[in-house]
């Protein structure tokens, strides 16, 4: 047991990665820790020849992960695109851990990100004392990935300004980074590549220039197709996160997850699951990640303030918090949903009452 709140996934899943590495005798792309097949097994789950169980990290189409892994073995970079909460960051972290054994080379792109955070910065004390030199240069995670021939992750690529994004063009097409201040050039080692994530829902994002777009293979991560997939993702993550937070996960958790996921899928999709009633959709994004957060919130509330059971009482205010992002518009949407849909369902009677009370 460690005191760290969260370990990098290459440490958390060290046993699985080691088991895969031990049996992985196939041909690997240069500087990869695993073969592409083994990377896909690590992400999608399976059993190794010696019987070690590999837990699924991503639940969805295998083909999507195969395309992502195959892209990283080429000279094109990978862009994971999708609405918030579709596991883009999660997949990117696991890919970097499986391929490079290090998921920590990551740059969070924001509106305030400048070129120095992408290319390199300077240690100003050294710069003033000695002038520009290799010693005064402060490498970024991207710089270190180029040096080491490993993967670098760029989170929320489209949140940084287009001019800063374009810094990546030379790095991606010529695999080198000029350092004019010291008349030097950093050439990327083989094995270097970039995994970027971007979500296509946010306001205030900066479009990728077409020059940059051309250097990325885009892989879209969809919301889970089926209700069962979504329930199993939420159940798995709630169990893992609950254990990390020392929260006991009660036995009836799956049936409550099913109810939360039903509410989310109906409101997100704009109709009831049987397709008979058209619904208004709230402004917020009701993703799987939100459903996970609702369950963890409810579990915490119930274990600290109540009897540890998970039920409408523990979950209602969390569900409302996830749905009502706009206090006027979303509240009306939810009220209508409660009256026209939940009120008529016996299984949701408790939810109908407690949510009405809280709302
Ligand atoms: N298909 C899926 N398979 C496995 N886990 C999933 C899936 N979809 C969502 N999750 C879970 O959702 C959580 C949130 O995912 P993550 O933070 O990676 O989303 P994101 O796409 O990066 O969102 P954002 O755009 O807000 O950054 C993770 O804990 C992840 O396990
Ligand atoms: Mg993310």
């Amino acid at each position: 047991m460690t005191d760290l709140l969260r370990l990098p996934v290459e440490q958390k899943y060290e046993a699985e990665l080691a088991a895969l590495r031990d049996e992985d005798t196939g041909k690997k792309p240069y500087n990869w820790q695993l073969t592409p097949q083994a990377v896909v097994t690590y992400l999608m789950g399976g059993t190794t020849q010696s019987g070690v169980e590999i837990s699924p990290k991503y639940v969805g189409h295998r083909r999507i992960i195969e395309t992502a892994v195959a892209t990283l073995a080429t000279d094109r970079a990978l862009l994971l695109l999708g609405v918030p909460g579709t596991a883009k960051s999660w997949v990117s972290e696991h890919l970097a851990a499986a391929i490079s054994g290090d998921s920590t080379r990551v740059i969070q792109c924001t509106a305030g990100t400048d070129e120095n955070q992408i290319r390199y910065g300077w240690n100003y004390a050294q710069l003033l004392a000695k002038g520009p030199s290799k010693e005064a240069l402060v490498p970024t995670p991207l710089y270190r990935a180029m040096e080491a021939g490993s993967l670098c992750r760029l989170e929320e690529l489209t949140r940084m300004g287009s001019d800063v994004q374009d810094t990546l063009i030379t790095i991606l097409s010529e695999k080198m980074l000029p350092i004019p201040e010291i008349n030097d050039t950093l050439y990327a080692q083989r094995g270097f590549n970039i995994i970027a994530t971007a979500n296509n829902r946010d306001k205030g994002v900066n479009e990728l220039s077409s020059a940059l777009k051309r250097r990325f293979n885009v892989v879209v991560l969809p919301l889970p197709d089926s209700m069962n997939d979504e329930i199993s993702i939420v159940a798995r993550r709630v169990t893992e996160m609950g254990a990390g937070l020392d929260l006991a996960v009660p036995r009836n958790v799956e049936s409550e997850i099913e109810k939360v996921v039903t509410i989310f899928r109906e409101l997100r999709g704009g109709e009831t699951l049987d397709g008979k009633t058209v619904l208004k959709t709230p402004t917020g994004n009701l993703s799987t990640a939100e459903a996970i957060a609702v369950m963890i919130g409810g579990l915490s509330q119930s274990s600290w303030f109540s009897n540890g059971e998970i039920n409408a009482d523990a979950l209602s205010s969390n569900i409302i918090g996830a749905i009502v992002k706009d206090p006027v518009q979303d509240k009306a949407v939810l009220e209508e949903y409660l009256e026209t849909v939940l009120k008529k369902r016996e299984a949701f009677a408790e939810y109908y009452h407690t949510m009405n009370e809280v709302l």
Side-chain angles (χ1 to χ4, degrees):
M1 198 65 186
T2 147
D3 284 339
L4 295 181
L5 200 48
R6 185 178 189 273
L7 287 173
V9 295
E10 59 272 23
Q11 284 181 37
K12 182 155 184 230
Y13 294 94
E14 195 177 49
E16 292 187 10
L17 288 167
L20 285 166
R21 258 196 316 269
D22 283 348
E23 291 178 13
D24 198 18
T25 49
K27 188 166 181 292
K28 302 184 183 99
Y30 196 87
N31 231 359
W32 281 34
Q33 306 255 320
L34 294 173
T35 56
Q37 293 86 341
V39 175
V40 173
T41 308
Y42 171 72
L43 268 119
M44 302 300 300
T47 316
T48 63
Q49 281 155 14
S50 59
V52 178
E53 203 54 49
I54 306 293
S55 61
K57 318 296 177 304
Y58 180 70
V59 179
H61 296 291
R62 190 181 192 87
R63 182 59 49 133
I64 294 179
I65 300 296
E66 284 178 0
T67 311
V69 173
T71 298
L72 290 169
T74 68
D75 65 342
R76 283 166 72 85
L78 172 66
L79 175 60
L80 298 173
L81 195 70
V83 297
T86 41
K88 300 180 295 294
S89 306
W90 176 250
V91 166
S92 136
E93 187 181 3
H94 281 288
L95 284 175
I99 293 172
S100 298
D102 184 356
S103 64
T104 61
R105 293 195 177 111
V106 47
I107 300 176
Q108 173 68 52
C109 308
T110 70
T113 303
D114 64 21
E115 282 195 14
N116 295 346
Q117 283 148 295
I118 302 292
R119 287 147 40 103
Y120 48 83
W122 296 101
N123 173 332
Y124 285 101
Q126 289 238 27
L127 190 66
L128 289 174
K130 295 194 197 140
S133 66
K134 211 58 196 258
E135 292 71 49
L137 186 146
V138 180
T140 60
L142 183 76
Y143 189 108
R144 284 189 279 117
M146 289 177 77
E147 255 181 345
S150 72
L151 291 178
C152 176
R153 298 163 52 208
L154 296 177
E155 279 290 313
E156 304 292 348
L157 177 67
T158 47
R159 298 209 71 89
M160 64 180 178
S162 306
D163 47 339
V164 187
Q165 288 173 14
D166 285 347
T167 318
L168 294 170
I169 294 178
T170 329
I171 298 174
L172 287 178
S173 56
E174 283 155 59
K175 314 293 178 202
M176 57 94 137
L177 175 63
I179 315 174
E181 294 89 339
I182 53 174
N183 195 19
D184 201 353
T185 306
L186 171 70
Y187 290 95
Q189 292 289 319
R190 287 173 68 191
F192 164 72
N193 210 338
I194 287 179
I195 311 178
T197 65
N199 83 58
N200 48 10
R201 241 312 177 78
D202 271 353
K203 296 191 179 103
V205 297
N206 303 288
E207 272 284 308
L208 291 186
S209 67
S210 41
L212 191 56
K213 232 182 236 160
R214 216 157 45 71
R215 285 160 178 89
F216 278 102
N217 254 8
V218 177
V219 171
V220 177
L221 296 187
L223 284 160
D225 283 345
S226 74
M227 175 95 179
N228 284 344
D229 275 0
E230 193 155 1
I231 293 173
S232 90
I233 296 167
V234 178
R236 181 176 297 279
R237 291 295 290 146
V238 166
T239 313
E240 281 174 10
M241 289 166 80
L245 294 167
D246 286 338
L247 297 173
V249 179
R251 248 187 249 140
N252 70 333
V253 73
E254 286 234 9
S255 70
E256 301 311 298
I257 290 177
E258 187 176 335
K259 295 196 182 104
V260 172
V261 170
T262 305
I263 298 176
F264 273 37
R265 286 181 80 89
E266 292 190 326
L267 285 171
R268 187 203 294 155
E271 59 174 26
T272 48
L273 292 184
D274 57 14
K276 286 191 184 146
T277 314
V278 177
L279 303 166
K280 294 202 184 92
T281 50
T283 52
N285 161 68
L286 295 173
S287 68
T288 318
E290 238 98 6
I292 297 170
V294 163
M295 292 307 299
I296 291 290
L299 213 53
S300 171
Q301 191 163 334
S302 171
S303 9
W304 296 112
F305 295 107
S306 172
N307 52 5
E309 276 172 30
I310 191 92
N311 48 27
D313 226 17
L315 290 169
S316 289
S317 51
N318 287 288
I319 298 178
I320 293 173
I323 298 171
V324 182
K325 297 288 192 254
D326 177 317
V328 180
Q329 213 177 322
D330 292 340
K331 195 163 174 249
V333 170
L334 183 56
E335 274 166 356
E336 194 178 314
Y337 176 69
L338 288 175
E339 291 309 316
T340 53
V341 181
L342 286 201
K343 193 176 181 180
K344 297 181 192 141
R345 289 188 188 153
E346 224 172 281
F348 286 83
E350 257 194 81
Y351 282 82
Y352 171 75
H353 288 298
T354 8
M355 280 165 79
N356 252 329
E357 260 171 44
V358 184
L359 198 64

